[in-house]
């Protein structure tokens, strides 16, 4: 659809990119974050600076030239000014915006700023929203756009646009960009590179009246797995001062962010799907609206990655859907990993149920295969989700679930709701438009079709499935998996990327309504392990799967680094154990989960009494610790782990709990794993612990001789010395001020 423009004498006067000297500056924020917004009759509203309140106010006059509009906006047929190539900045409509209103309001625990602006050429109206909770250094933002008298087609709109990031600095080498690859079974692989190492340079063309290099650093995710390759997170670090600015995109599908140079400065723009990268576009008829996915940005002048993780964790807890699971943190056993691997039967489950009960497990989840009457050939026939008739003799699945209850545990089941196998009856019974299609053809991926949760028949089918399972089995737990990536989306009602985004939103709404209908039900989010570990999913699911990694030796770098992406009390960590493991190996596997969520796994029925004691001790230790996990502040005592590191440390500060004699004071917990290398490791402790803190080993009981405090002197922090002769081995240590 083409734009309906104003007469040529108006349209042919593009806005200049040079910001005029005039205009007013609006300052808004809280005790942690300050925003300075320039606006005027001859300029689009621009975010000149975003800084921590403890920092000096930046050179606002010097930032005028490189400042971008509050929102970047691209309309079909409208183009850009002052730039070329693939960058999503300097859109004609964005430069044409003029302020129309400023609205300040309050919400529970914080304040909201709404900036309204309109473009005279296209008639588009935008509202940019900023939210700040009291005492938080995390700014949440999103954009709403509305068509005026003429229809428009959106091809790009930012959730966050932030410029002035490198003002007055030699930013090429001074700034390091932290990004995280998220490969299947090797998730949360953070690395830092300078902007120059990423290929972004100041090429010197600004002195010739050019905008900049026209290059960019791009991180984008395509398709339905939001974190199938990269995390929707980034951190820009000033390597001279340690100051950090971090951001996250909150979408359970496609997303994009880019950093580029502009007038000797650096900008960031963050969005959901785009036309260029994701086959996304939205046509807005007069009066229609579109709202972007949210984004969040955090500013920490000191404290580094620990401070970023602490602020983002607190923010994620605030925006998360309340659920009792997030406080209770029950111990879960799941029969899949290194055990039944989608082949459950009554005969195989009963020994596992007995062992789980002995170990103190609270939720027993039967994973994939409970519906399988084809002896493993079910992959492309799923969709009805009826219990198998031949796997569970003597009472069927209901009888087996009764055994779980008799053993003192609550039951759970695995489900993959978004897919229907090509051989399933549901593929024919449901309407054709209840499935993803592209160019008139139903999309099949790995023998499966994708339900479109925008369609009432698709939602009704899944509602019926969940309600039937709850009525028949009174489940406490559902694990929702998603093991295909359906690609760009569905073009049944418009652009493929727009169809995917609408489905993403409908899916999370469906999950929320399912938990609303069944208040006692906990739903776990899983997607081929950690392929949808994003902020939108984290705001809905009480607990999420981190990985499919089956090697317990490779789990610690995943679990230790996860805290930058997800709150610890939501991080489902596999603790896989079985009878061939020695005591140190059992403790190593359990320790990976003790500061997060225990997803016990493996052939626990093969453990002898001594091994059962080791695992039971770990679970008992977790039950003592879990009261502090939901309020803990993550840290990285040895920095973010490398995939092949010999020593890996996960840390957490547990705030004191009033009235709890054992936990009234703040505590510092460290889960330390040794996979090789030297037998001794030194860890510098936080200053608040004092020069000579008290240390004890929370798990395993035989590990007390491994730890020693080297007291701090002359204002220096104390150092923890840990010796572990065996590899692999692990210790979970608790430290308190003396």
């Amino acid at each position: 659809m083409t734009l309906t423009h104003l007469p040529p004498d108006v349209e042919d006067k593009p806005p200049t990119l040079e910001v005029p000297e005039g205009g007013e500056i609006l300052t808004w924020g809280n005790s942690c974050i300050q925003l300075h917004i320039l606006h005027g009759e001859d300029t689009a509203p621009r975010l000149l600076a975003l800084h921590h309140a403890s920092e000096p106010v930046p050179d606002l006059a010097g930032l005028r030239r490189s400042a971008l509009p509050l929102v970047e906006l691209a309309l079909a047929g409208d183009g850009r000014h002052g730039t070329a190539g693939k960058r999503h900045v300097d859109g004609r409509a964005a430069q044409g915006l003029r302020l129309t209103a400023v609205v300040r309001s309050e919400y529970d625990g914080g304040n909201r700023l709404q900036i309204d602006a309109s473009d005279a050429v296209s008639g588009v109206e935008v509202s940019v929203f900023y939210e700040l909770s009291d005492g938080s250094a995390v700014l949440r933002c999103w954009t709403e756009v509305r068509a005026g008298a003429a229809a428009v087609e959106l091809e790009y709109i930012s959730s966050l646009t932030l410029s002035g990031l490198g003002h007055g600095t030699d930013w090429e080498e001074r700034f390091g960009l932290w990004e995280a690859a998220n490969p299947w079974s090797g998730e949360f692989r953070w690395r830092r590179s300078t902007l120059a190492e990423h290929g972004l340079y100041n090429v010197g063309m600004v002195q010739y009246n050019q905008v900049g290099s026209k290059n960019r650093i791009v991180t984008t995710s395509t398709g339905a797995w939001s974190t199938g390759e990269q995390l929707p997170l980034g951190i820009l670090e000033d390597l001279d001062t340690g100051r950090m600015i971090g951001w996250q995109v909150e979408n359970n599908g496609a997303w994009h962010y880019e950093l580029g140079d502009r007038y000797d400065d650096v900008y960031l723009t963050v969005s959901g799907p785009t036309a260029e990268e994701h086959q996304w576009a939205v046509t807005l008829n007069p009066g229609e609206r579109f709202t972007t996915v949210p984004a969040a940005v955090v500013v920490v002048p000191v404290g580094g990655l620990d401070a970023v993780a602490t602020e983002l964790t607190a923010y994620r807890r605030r925006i998360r859907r309340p659920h009792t699971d997030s406080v209770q943190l029950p111990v879960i056993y799941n029969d899949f990993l290194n055990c039944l691997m989608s082949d459950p039967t009554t005969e195989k489950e009963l020994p596992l149920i007995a062992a789980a009960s002995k170990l103190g497990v609270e939720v027993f989840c039967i994973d994939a295969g409970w519906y399988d009457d084809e002896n493993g050939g079910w992959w492309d026939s799923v969709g009805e989700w009826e219990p198998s008739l031949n796997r569970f003799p003597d009472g069927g699945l209901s009888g087996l679930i009764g055994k779980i209850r008799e053993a003192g545990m609550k039951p759970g089941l695995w489900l993959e709701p978004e897919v229907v196998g090509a051989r399933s009856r549901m593929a024919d019974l449901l309407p054709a438009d209840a499935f993803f299609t592209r160019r008139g053809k139903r999309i099949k991926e790995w023998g499966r079709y994708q339900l479109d949760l925008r369609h009432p028949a698709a939602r009704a089918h899944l509602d019926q499935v969940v309600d039937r399972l709850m009525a028949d089995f009174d489940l406490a737990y559902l694990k929702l998996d998603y093991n295909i990536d359906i690609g760009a989306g569905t073009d049944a009602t418009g652009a493929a990327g727009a169809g995917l985004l609408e489905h993403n939103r409908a899916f999370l709404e469906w999950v929320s309504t399912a938990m609303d209908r069944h208040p006692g039900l906990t739903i776990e989010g899983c997607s081929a392990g950690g392929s949808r570990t994003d902020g939108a999913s984290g705001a809905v699911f009480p607990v999420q799967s981190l990985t499919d990694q089956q090697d317990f030796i490779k789990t610690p770098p995943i679990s230790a680094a996860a805290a930058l992406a997800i709150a610890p009390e939501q991080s489902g960590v596999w603790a896989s154990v079985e009878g061939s493991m020695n005591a140190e190996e059992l403790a190593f596997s359990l320790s990976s989960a003790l500061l997060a969520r225990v997803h016990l796994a493996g052939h626990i029925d093969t453990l002898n009494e001594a091994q059962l004691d080791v695992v039971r001790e770990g679970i008992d230790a977790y039950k003592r610790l879990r009261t502090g996990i939901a309020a803990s502040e993550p840290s990285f005592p040895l920095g973010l782990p490398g995939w092949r590191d010999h020593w890996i440390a996960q840390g957490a500060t547990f705030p004191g709990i009033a009235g709890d004699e054992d936990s009234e004071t703040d505590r510092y917990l460290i889960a330390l794993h040794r996979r090789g290398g030297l037998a001794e490791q030194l860890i510098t402790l936080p200053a608040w612990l004092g020069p000579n803190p008290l240390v004890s080993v929370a798990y395993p009981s035989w590990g007390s001789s491994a730890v020693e405090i080297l007291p701090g002197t002359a204002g220096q922090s104390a150092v923890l010395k840990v010796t572990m002769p065996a590899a692999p081995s692990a210790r979970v240590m608790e430290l308190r001020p003396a």
Side-chain angles (χ1 to χ4, degrees):
M1 179 173 291
T2 58
L3 288 167
T4 302
H5 292 297
L6 292 180
D9 62 329
V10 176
E11 182 185 342
D12 290 344
K13 297 177 180 177
T16 177
L17 295 183
E18 295 290 343
V19 181
E21 291 298 321
E24 300 180 25
I25 294 177
L26 164 68
T27 297
W28 177 85
N30 64 2
S31 60
C32 297
I33 295 290
Q34 293 288 299
L35 286 74
H36 304 277
I37 298 170
L38 173 71
H39 61 91
E41 295 182 359
D42 299 318
T43 185
R46 301 167 187 268
L47 182 55
L48 289 179
L50 168 69
H51 66 99
H52 199 273
S54 65
E55 301 174 301
V57 176
D59 173 19
L60 300 180
L63 288 165
R64 286 172 176 255
R65 189 184 190 196
S66 62
L68 284 163
L70 296 180
V71 57
E72 278 298 336
L73 180 67
L75 308 177
D78 211 31
R80 289 166 288 176
H81 289 282
T83 189
K86 301 175 177 60
R87 307 202 304 182
H88 291 296
V89 293
D90 291 320
R92 203 283 319 153
Q95 295 287 345
L97 292 171
R98 297 295 180 266
L99 182 74
T100 57
V102 176
V103 181
R104 296 175 176 86
S105 59
E106 296 181 357
Y107 66 94
D108 186 23
N111 293 281
R112 179 181 296 126
L113 177 68
Q114 175 182 335
I115 304 293
D116 295 337
S118 63
D119 170 39
V121 175
S122 64
V124 162
E125 300 173 354
V126 301
S127 295
V128 180
F129 295 89
Y130 298 112
E131 281 187 350
L132 277 171
S133 295
D134 296 340
S136 173
V138 181
L139 176 74
R140 197 180 203 210
C141 44
W142 68 93
T143 305
E144 182 181 279
V145 58
R146 184 175 74 88
V152 295
E153 185 167 320
L154 295 176
E155 292 187 334
Y156 178 85
I157 182 167
S158 65
S159 303
L160 164 69
T161 299
L162 183 59
S163 50
L165 297 177
H167 179 64
T169 65
D170 182 13
W171 46 260
E172 300 170 335
E173 303 289 350
R174 178 167 174 170
F175 286 94
L177 175 61
W178 289 91
E179 293 182 297
N182 206 59
W184 178 71
S185 297
E187 292 84 355
F188 313 111
R189 300 277 56 78
W190 286 90
R191 70 182 181 97
R192 185 187 69 189
S193 304
T194 65
L195 299 188
E197 289 171 328
H198 274 280
L200 188 66
Y201 291 90
N202 185 342
V203 298
M205 291 299 289
V206 175
Q207 64 180 314
Y208 300 104
N209 203 31
Q210 301 295 320
V211 175
S213 72
K214 303 179 183 177
N215 289 3
R216 59 179 182 165
I217 300 169
V218 172
T219 303
T220 193
S221 178
T222 61
W225 281 344
S226 58
T227 60
E229 293 180 306
Q230 299 280 333
L231 291 181
L233 302 164
I235 302 169
L236 194 64
E237 178 183 3
D238 186 326
L239 301 177
D240 286 353
T241 67
R243 182 180 191 264
M244 289 185 171
I245 294 180
W247 57 90
Q248 73 172 25
V249 198
E250 297 170 12
N251 188 31
N252 55 325
W255 52 267
H256 175 87
Y257 70 75
E258 69 183 42
L259 288 143
D261 64 310
R262 190 175 182 280
Y263 289 123
D264 293 331
D265 215 327
V266 177
Y267 73 84
L268 166 73
T269 185
V270 175
S271 73
T274 73
E276 188 172 300
E277 284 84 10
H278 308 102
Q279 302 179 40
W280 176 88
V282 171
T283 299
L284 296 180
N285 292 313
E288 290 183 336
R289 300 173 184 268
F290 172 79
T291 302
T292 68
V293 304
V297 59
V298 57
V299 182
V300 294
V302 294
L305 292 170
D306 288 4
V308 170
T310 294
E311 288 285 354
L312 286 177
T313 299
Y315 164 76
R316 290 166 183 147
R317 287 169 176 156
R318 285 193 298 273
I319 68 171
R320 187 175 62 206
R321 184 186 188 277
H323 198 287
T324 56
D325 177 86
S326 302
V327 178
Q328 295 172 349
L329 278 58
V331 176
I332 300 158
Y333 175 80
N334 183 295
D335 68 20
F336 176 76
L337 194 87
N338 295 331
C339 193
L340 301 189
M341 300 297 288
S342 307
D343 189 24
T345 65
T346 298
E347 182 182 8
K348 294 177 181 178
E349 294 283 8
L350 289 178
L352 297 172
I353 292 170
S357 179
K358 287 183 181 180
L359 291 170
V361 168
E362 293 155 308
V363 174
F364 189 103
C365 183
I366 301 171
D367 207 273
W370 56 267
Y371 41 79
D372 173 29
D373 277 330
E374 299 185 49
N375 194 29
W378 53 265
W379 183 264
D380 59 353
S381 66
V382 295
E384 293 187 78
W385 308 110
E386 295 282 357
S388 168
L389 299 177
N390 57 35
R391 287 182 169 271
F392 312 108
D394 302 325
L397 181 59
S398 179
L400 181 62
I401 286 177
K403 297 294 185 183
I404 293 172
R405 284 204 176 84
E406 289 173 12
M409 297 176 290
K410 296 179 179 180
L413 288 177
W414 176 98
L415 193 67
E416 194 169 0
E418 292 171 79
V419 300
V420 170
R423 294 192 296 114
S424 171
R425 287 193 322 132
M426 300 311 301
D428 297 319
L429 292 176
L430 289 169
D433 52 356
F435 296 91
F436 272 36
T437 61
R438 287 199 290 272
R439 293 175 288 281
K441 294 185 181 296
R442 187 183 297 188
I443 308 164
K444 183 164 64 174
E445 178 70 20
W446 202 2
R448 292 158 159 216
Y449 301 124
Q450 168 87 39
L451 285 174
D452 187 342
L453 268 293
R454 300 176 298 173
H455 198 284
R459 291 180 66 126
H461 164 59
L462 294 186
D463 284 343
Q464 182 271 330
V465 168
V466 171
D467 292 350
R468 170 172 50 81
L469 293 176
M470 293 300 295
D472 291 349
F473 306 121
D474 189 23
L475 300 171
Y477 198 86
L478 269 179
K479 175 180 176 178
L480 301 190
D481 210 341
Y482 180 61
N483 288 301
I484 63 170
D485 188 330
I486 203 62
T490 175
D491 61 10
T493 59
L500 177 61
L501 176 60
E502 290 168 4
H503 163 79
N504 295 149
R505 288 170 160 170
F507 171 67
L508 292 180
E509 180 186 1
W510 173 76
V511 172
S512 294
T513 58
M515 286 189 284
D516 287 341
R517 290 199 312 278
H518 305 286
L521 178 64
T522 296
I523 297 184
E524 173 189 341
C526 178
S527 182
S531 295
R532 284 203 296 208
T533 314
D534 58 79
S537 298
V540 172
F541 290 102
V543 60
Q544 287 188 259
S545 172
L546 296 189
T547 185
D548 277 343
Q549 179 55 247
Q550 291 183 249
D551 185 347
F552 73 97
I553 300 294
K554 294 183 172 66
T555 300
I558 298 171
S559 59
L564 262 180
I566 182 172
E569 66 272 20
Q570 292 175 275
S571 300
V573 180
W574 290 115
S576 182
V577 297
E578 47 92 17
S580 70
M581 299 166 69
N582 63 39
E584 286 287 7
E585 290 171 332
L586 294 171
F588 184 100
S589 187
L590 263 294
S591 296
S592 299
L594 294 192
L595 299 186
R597 294 295 298 272
V598 175
H599 281 188
L600 191 66
H603 272 291
I604 56 176
D605 54 324
T606 63
L607 299 171
N608 61 34
E609 286 302 320
Q611 291 169 322
L612 285 169
D613 286 343
V614 173
V615 176
R616 187 184 299 111
E617 181 193 331
I619 291 174
D620 289 345
Y622 179 74
K623 290 178 179 178
R624 293 192 302 272
L625 293 173
R626 64 183 171 186
T627 55
I629 292 173
S632 65
E633 299 175 353
S635 69
F636 310 99
L638 295 177
L640 285 169
W643 183 243
R644 295 181 176 87
D645 285 357
H646 292 309
W647 289 84
I648 295 163
Q650 179 181 2
T653 299
F654 283 22
I657 302 173
D660 187 333
E661 184 176 341
D662 294 329
S663 308
E664 280 193 330
T665 60
D666 290 358
R667 296 170 290 157
Y668 189 60
L669 276 293
I670 301 175
L672 183 65
H673 289 80
R674 182 190 171 212
R675 303 192 296 180
L678 299 177
E680 182 180 292
Q681 179 65 50
L682 301 178
I683 299 176
T684 301
L685 297 173
W688 63 266
L689 285 169
N692 195 15
L694 305 175
V695 61
S696 61
V697 174
Y699 178 73
S701 58
W702 65 83
S704 298
S705 62
V707 300
E708 178 186 356
I709 293 292
L710 306 179
T713 58
Q716 298 297 310
S717 295
V719 172
L720 176 66
K721 178 182 176 181
V722 183
T723 304
M724 288 191 270
S729 55
R731 303 289 182 264
V732 178
M733 295 155 289
E734 183 173 339
L735 297 109
R736 304 168 185 257

